[in-house]
Amino acid sequence: MQAKEIRELFLRFFQKRDHAVLESASLIPANDPSLLWTSAGMVPFKPYFTGAAIPERRRVATCQKCLRTPDIESVGKTARHLTFFEMLGNFSFGDYFKEEAIPWAWEFVTSDLRIDPERLWISVYLEDDDAFRFWRKVGVPEERIVRLGKDTNFWEIGIGPCGPCSEIHYDFGPESACGPDCRVGCDCDRFLELWNLVFTEFYRDEEGNYSALERKGIDTGMGLERAAAVIQGVKSGFETDLFRALTGEIAEILRISPAADARADTAVKIIADHARAVTFAIADGALPSNEGRGYVIRRLLRRAVRFGVLFGVDRPFLARVVLLVQNKMGDVYPELMHKQNHVLQVVKAEEERFLETLSLGTEMLNRRVEELTGSGSKTLSGEVAFGLYDTYGFPLELTEEICAEHGIVVDRDGFAEAMAGQRERGRRARESTEYLGERERLLKQIREETGGTRFVGYFTLEAPVKVVALVSDGKRVEAAETGTTVEVVTDSTPFYAEAGGQVSDTGILTGIGLKAEVESAESPLEGLIVHRARVMEGILREGGAVTASVDAARRRHTARNHTVTHLLHKSLKAVLGPHVNQAGSLVAPARLRFDFTHYRQLTAEELGRIEASINQAILAAMPVDAFETSMAEARGMGAIALFGEKYGDRVRVVRIGDFSIELCGGTHLKNTVEAGMTKIITEGSVASGIRRIEAVTGEGALAFFNGVMEDYQRTAALLKVPPRDLSTRVAALADNLKELARENEALRDKIATYEVHDLLNRVQVVEGVNVLAAKVGNADMAQLRSLADILRERLGSGVIILGSGAGEKVGLVVAVTADLIPKGMHAGAIIKKVARMVDGGGGGRPELAQAGGKNPARIEDALREGLMSVKEGLVGKKKLKTC
């Protein structure tokens, strides 16, 4: 049975049992900054388990794309570890529980997958007698049910819903055991966890107390790769049909035989796994960078390339593997084919950039080796080795190979210590995001008590509302007096809560003797809007009736920028190509900011076409329609869905004539002509593969043009020309400046010639060698180097030491002619001694070195030190020869 059949069989099994089969969510979690990746099947449903959102369906089944990296070092070394995998799961949100979930799991595994029950073991939580009883009821022998403790069979993430787990394990047999005491729960590869069932039945509070949940849940997960391995009779997912074509292609690229070399086998598996992870993550909108999920992608991609380098592949090859992943998985995950060229270009660009970085790392390592050899040391510190690994992507093995060629060993213990420190920092960072917090718990209670907030702001900017709750400093209060700031929850509101890049509305709440300024609005939980308000007059009370009024002008300015953001998105795709996707945005009253995927700076011609496209759409007076429909119908219309956003069965669509159609919950104009005009202000890079455009519309665009016109007229007045002749006058001035610069350079050359003549008259002979040590006016470093080159050529043989002081800075240059280098003269060694005299430092090659300093008063002392250094070097060389 192929993996594709297993996937389809699982989803059909639960569809027959009244589960809604949903498509896989993005690897980038929607509206959850606490998570970098969708790392389990339950992640898209986390708000349902925590109570932050209300599920549309009580029974759901999925095959979810997942990405995990905490165990990245184990990939390729064990049979079970992967960074990217597919998780088959069935979920219940307050519907069925253990009595149904356990028999279904057993039926699917033993009947539909036809796995031998004699090969299966069950683990349950130590105190979970109910699960034990249901497993016995389906026929599992008591001796094959193992009770395990909280560290392995109880799921929790700090404060929030939690519960015991029960797992189905596949036994590969005693021949795969790690020893005579091997049993279920062991970390070796004998017992493979096939399916995990989490019974969400408790709530843990901040004191660590557990209480029973009123609505219990089921969260199960079965790794597709593991199921395929068991059914196809192999020991790991790498041997299944999901990987075979990949590993074969990689072995061919690396020209190795994995079967004959354990090291080669590991490399092939790592490259295959990481290529899958990178392919899916980039297709879902992630891009390589130096932080967050971008750093994870960069690390995975570079780690795969590193293993190719270890086997002598010094050219880009990963895109070839990525293409295989796309062709293999594209029928199940169509986004891989839709984004095929985009993914391939990102991978190729990053791989080429990394190979250049590896070259820099090699240079750094060679310098370290040279320093160690010169000092007589035979050990490269683990800290340096880890720095090469972390900064330049140098694998430890490659560092060891290069060092071994020079008789140097690498401190592996120090490397492991530095690696452990990094992991510990990462672990603490992850733990810090796992707690829901007191405020969120309180807001959940308020939503349950009041029924939440109804948003009416699409249709009106003013509405009578009832204050249902007030929160101050994380606690419920009955009233807020003048001068205090409070969080206000109302039964309905016209205030738009910040979401989807659009800032929130502001405005006022008024009543008899009451006025409160609404500074912002947010929706921390689905179905609840919280206003942050400052009471200006009177007392705001829970239960009071007030009028909520949105600042209409601010909303109008924001709507202009939001509608134009849609026009910009469409225009970018039309001009640059379909690979362009939104990667972030800000829609504010004064401006709009739009981040998008693209590989290079936009040309002036492209920006002109994009801006013209937007303004033509504005002038065409296209209607802007917003309506709700089903997700399936929206897709059929060609509506664009944004990465990182979570959508339900019903979605809101914003359609702008025949020009643009997107899923969007924001506020918009009624017609494009209301935007007035648009002007793109800036375009630049914000990360690798991510560009940013900032623009203004309407009154903001008019203010921009007025400002430009004022500058234009002011400049024309300064140059005493009519505004229409300004460009001609500026061009003439630029030509004059170039001519003056040429004349200035010619004069400097003449002065330099006289200066060279004067300096040559100051040459001293030290131990038979010409030495010039002199202070030179206020020359900068470039001028010092140029002068040193001229003097070295005119001198023929000798050492030149030049110093210059400009303000608080000192510049020093040392040049040595080629014939003196074998006699022990080294410009880099001399410059270090000289630079110390002026509180500076520097270095360089034997023939030329430079340094800076901070004490101009000691330049003459530094030059004398240079003379002494030359003399000592020459005398020392003579003594050595005599010996």
Side-chain angles (χ1 to χ4, degrees):
M1 192 184 293
Q2 301 294 293
K4 185 176 181 181
E5 297 173 75
I6 299 170
R7 191 190 292 116
E8 292 171 352
L9 192 65
F10 177 89
L11 296 175
R12 277 202 308 271
F13 180 91
F14 283 99
Q15 191 173 39
K16 291 176 183 176
R17 287 155 182 78
D18 300 322
H19 287 65
V21 174
L22 304 183
E23 292 182 359
S24 172
S26 169
L27 281 174
I28 300 175
N31 306 317
D32 192 344
S34 71
L35 296 173
L36 283 182
W37 302 107
T38 300
S39 57
M42 63 77 63
V43 168
F45 310 117
K46 183 180 170 185
Y48 303 152
F49 284 110
T50 62
I54 301 164
E56 296 176 6
R57 307 287 182 87
R58 293 289 177 183
R59 297 183 178 190
V60 167
T62 64
C63 180
Q64 175 62 48
K65 301 174 290 187
C66 298
L67 200 156
R68 295 180 189 171
T69 57
D71 297 319
I72 188 173
E73 301 296 335
S74 299
V75 172
K77 298 174 184 177
T78 71
R80 62 189 185 277
H81 284 103
L82 298 169
T83 57
F84 173 83
F85 55 94
E86 295 176 79
M87 185 69 83
L88 301 166
N90 59 290
F91 305 89
S92 167
F93 312 117
D95 190 352
Y96 62 85
F97 201 48
K98 298 177 190 178
E99 191 169 2
E100 294 85 3
I102 288 174
W104 283 342
W106 187 253
E107 179 185 353
F108 181 74
V109 168
T110 58
S111 299
D112 290 66
L113 296 184
R114 301 189 296 279
I115 297 176
D116 182 2
E118 295 298 315
R119 288 275 195 171
L120 300 177
W121 289 72
I122 305 298
S123 67
V124 298
Y125 177 52
L126 203 61
E127 302 171 7
D128 194 351
D129 294 332
D130 288 340
F132 184 91
R133 180 162 48 87
F134 291 130
W135 285 116
R136 290 286 293 117
K137 192 173 180 180
V138 298
V140 180
E142 184 173 342
E143 62 273 14
R144 283 189 171 269
I145 305 175
V146 180
R147 291 181 183 265
L148 297 176
K150 195 172 183 180
D151 56 336
T152 58
N153 276 58
F154 195 94
W155 177 84
E156 59 184 341
I157 52 169
I159 298 170
C162 56
C165 308
S166 184
E167 299 159 332
I168 302 176
H169 299 263
Y170 183 83
D171 184 0
F172 281 104
E175 64 275 13
S176 299
C178 58
D181 297 329
C182 185
R183 60 187 181 84
V184 172
C186 183
D187 284 336
C188 75
D189 289 332
R190 174 177 176 177
F191 295 99
L192 179 71
E193 179 195 319
L194 188 62
W195 200 341
N196 186 14
L197 295 87
V198 179
F199 309 123
T200 309
E201 55 182 313
F202 299 111
Y203 187 93
R204 177 184 170 178
D205 63 24
E206 53 274 7
E207 277 82 39
N209 301 313
Y210 296 89
S211 56
L213 287 172
E214 183 180 343
R215 288 183 175 274
K216 297 175 171 57
I218 291 291
D219 159 23
T220 81
M222 177 166 63
L224 177 62
E225 293 80 3
R226 295 186 180 191
V230 170
I231 292 165
Q232 294 173 19
V234 294
K235 289 294 183 71
S236 80
F238 292 108
E239 300 170 65
T240 67
D241 66 299
L242 288 165
F243 278 90
R244 273 195 294 269
L246 290 181
T247 54
E249 180 76 5
I250 295 164
E252 183 180 314
I253 292 170
L254 271 54
R255 297 179 181 176
I256 55 177
S257 174
D261 182 351
R263 189 163 155 268
D265 181 60
T266 299
V268 167
K269 289 174 179 176
I270 288 171
I271 293 170
D273 169 81
H274 291 7
R276 289 189 353 138
V278 165
T279 303
F280 276 89
I282 295 174
D284 275 358
L287 285 166
S289 69
N290 288 328
E291 59 185 15
R293 62 177 62 93
Y295 176 76
V296 174
I297 294 306
R298 175 161 284 169
R299 185 185 178 199
L300 288 168
L301 194 152
R302 293 186 170 192
R303 193 164 185 262
V305 175
R306 285 203 312 259
F307 276 93
V309 170
L310 281 173
F311 285 90
V313 181
D314 57 359
R315 65 192 184 282
F317 71 91
L318 200 59
R320 186 169 151 187
V321 185
V322 166
L323 184 59
L324 267 180
V325 176
Q326 293 169 325
N327 292 335
K328 171 73 178 173
M329 309 288 281
D331 60 334
V332 181
Y333 298 101
E335 64 269 23
L336 296 184
M337 304 312 291
H338 295 157
K339 300 293 179 61
Q340 186 173 57
N341 290 335
H342 166 66
V343 175
L344 291 171
Q345 289 179 24
V346 170
V347 169
K348 187 178 179 183
E350 181 67 16
E351 189 172 10
E352 289 172 347
R353 189 179 297 116
F354 177 52
L355 288 172
E356 292 174 8
T357 303
L358 269 179
S359 177
L360 293 173
T362 303
E363 288 180 18
M364 173 174 276
L365 179 55
N366 287 338
R367 285 199 299 272
R368 289 285 188 175
V369 168
E370 187 179 329
E371 290 172 9
L372 291 171
T373 303
S375 66
S377 175
K378 295 295 181 182
T379 303
L380 183 76
S381 75
E383 188 177 351
V384 170
F386 181 76
L388 287 165
Y389 169 85
D390 198 42
T391 304
Y392 295 99
F394 245 63
L396 179 61
E397 296 84 355
L398 190 58
T399 301
E400 287 179 323
E401 281 183 20
I402 294 172
C403 287
E405 293 172 1
H406 300 273
I408 294 171
V409 296
V410 178
D411 177 12
R412 271 185 166 264
D413 291 340
F415 180 90
E417 188 177 331
M419 176 74 82
Q422 186 190 63
R423 285 179 180 155
E424 177 61 21
R425 289 190 294 274
R427 184 189 65 78
R428 288 199 298 267
R430 287 194 300 273
E431 286 181 350
S432 69
T433 65
E434 290 177 350
Y435 295 92
L436 295 173
E438 181 65 27
R439 178 174 178 266
E440 187 171 350
R441 279 217 314 131
L442 177 60
L443 293 176
K444 278 167 57 181
Q445 292 173 356
I446 291 172
R447 186 186 63 185
E448 289 167 7
E449 288 176 14
T450 64
T453 311
R454 184 168 59 92
F455 177 60
V456 297
Y458 290 138
F459 315 107
T460 183
L461 297 182
E462 185 172 285
V465 301
K466 179 182 178 183
V467 178
V468 297
L470 298 172
V471 177
S472 178
D473 295 326
K475 296 179 181 179
R476 291 281 293 270
V477 295
E478 293 183 356
E481 297 182 349
T482 301
T484 60
T485 299
V486 67
E487 291 183 307
V488 185
V489 180
T490 56
D491 60 345
S492 62
T493 183
F495 284 87
Y496 180 84
E498 182 172 347
Q502 180 178 328
V503 300
S504 73
D505 285 327
T506 60
I508 56 172
L509 301 175
T510 55
I512 298 174
L514 170 71
K515 180 182 178 182
E517 289 187 356
V518 176
E519 299 171 348
S520 64
E522 63 166 328
S523 181
L525 301 173
E526 185 179 337
L528 188 75
I529 293 176
V530 179
H531 311 78
R532 181 177 177 81
R534 181 172 180 79
V535 182
M536 308 304 292
E537 298 174 16
I539 299 175
L540 181 63
R541 300 182 188 277
E542 182 177 315
V546 297
T547 298
S549 304
V550 172
D551 182 333
R554 189 174 190 273
R555 165 73 80 87
R556 186 167 57 253
H557 296 324
T558 304
R560 281 196 188 104
N561 286 328
H562 204 153
T563 298
V564 168
T565 296
H566 285 218
L567 299 178
L568 171 60
H569 193 183
K570 178 65 176 180
S571 298
L572 284 165
K573 284 180 175 288
V575 173
L576 303 179
H579 66 277
V580 169
N581 282 297
Q582 182 172 334
S585 68
L586 171 68
V587 178
R591 65 191 174 102
L592 68 91
R593 186 182 72 214
F594 191 79
D595 297 345
F596 58 97
T597 53
H598 195 54
Y599 320 105
R600 57 171 175 77
Q601 182 179 2
L602 273 64
T603 65
E605 187 266 341
E606 287 169 336
L607 283 171
R609 287 169 59 197
I610 291 163
E611 191 177 278
S613 172
I614 296 168
N615 284 311
Q616 285 165 10
I618 290 171
L619 293 173
M622 298 179 182
V624 182
D625 301 313
F627 56 91
E628 281 196 2
T629 186
S630 69
M631 187 65 178
E633 288 177 357
R635 281 182 174 160
M637 297 174 190
I640 296 174
L642 303 182
F643 285 115
E645 294 294 327
K646 187 173 183 292
Y647 302 103
D649 287 346
R650 301 290 296 176
V651 293
R652 186 169 183 263
V653 176
V654 174
R655 180 168 56 200
I656 305 176
D658 295 327
F659 190 84
S660 165
I661 182 166
E662 290 191 23
L663 304 186
C664 180
T667 60
H668 286 268
L669 304 172
K670 297 295 183 185
N671 191 290
T672 59
V673 78
E674 296 173 47
M677 70 178 94
T678 296
K679 179 62 187 172
I680 294 174
I681 305 301
T682 63
E683 188 277 331
S685 172
V686 290
S688 176
I690 301 287
R691 309 295 300 178
R692 170 174 292 173
I693 279 179
E694 295 197 23
V696 287
T697 66
E699 294 171 13
L702 184 60
F704 174 82
F705 283 119
N706 286 339
V708 170
M709 181 57 78
E710 287 175 10
D711 287 343
Y712 180 67
Q713 291 173 336
R714 192 161 45 245
T715 305
L718 285 171
L719 296 177
K720 298 179 181 180
V721 295
R724 64 178 178 275
D725 295 334
L726 184 60
S727 61
T728 304
R729 178 62 174 149
V730 169
L733 285 172
D735 289 340
N736 288 340
L737 284 173
K738 287 178 184 177
E739 183 59 34
L740 288 170
R742 282 194 292 268
E743 291 176 5
N744 187 44
E745 191 63 32
L747 286 170
R748 288 168 72 101
D749 288 343
K750 286 181 181 180
I751 293 169
T753 301
Y754 292 124
E755 194 167 14
V756 166
H757 185 268
D758 177 60
L759 289 170
L760 288 172
N761 289 329
R762 294 156 65 183
V763 172
Q764 303 176 47
V765 178
V766 179
E767 298 294 330
V769 173
N770 294 322
V771 181
L772 171 62
K775 184 177 179 182
V776 183
N778 293 322
D780 60 26
M781 195 63 77
Q783 291 166 342
L784 282 177
R785 285 196 305 268
S786 176
L787 189 57
D789 285 340
I790 295 170
L791 288 166
R792 183 167 49 183
E793 185 180 341
R794 296 282 294 275
L795 201 57
S797 175
V799 177
I800 298 106
I801 306 169
L802 301 178
S804 174
E808 297 298 315
K809 293 182 180 179
V810 175
L812 297 166
V813 168
V814 176
V816 176
T817 56
D819 63 307
L820 296 179
I821 293 172
K823 296 181 180 180
M825 291 295 96
H826 191 296
I830 297 170
I831 201 77
K832 287 179 181 177
K833 293 181 179 180
V834 174
R836 281 199 294 266
M837 301 299 293
V838 291
D839 304 330
R845 304 185 303 276
E847 70 277 10
L848 184 67
Q850 68 181 48
K854 295 177 278 187
N855 191 347
R858 298 200 64 192
I859 290 178
E860 295 292 351
D861 294 338
L863 295 172
R864 281 191 290 272
E865 179 66 24
L867 276 170
M868 289 297 297
S869 178
V870 172
K871 186 173 183 178
E872 288 170 3
L874 291 169
V875 172
K877 190 74 174 178
K878 284 183 178 179
K879 286 182 179 178
L880 190 62
K881 282 184 176 180
T882 303
C883 293

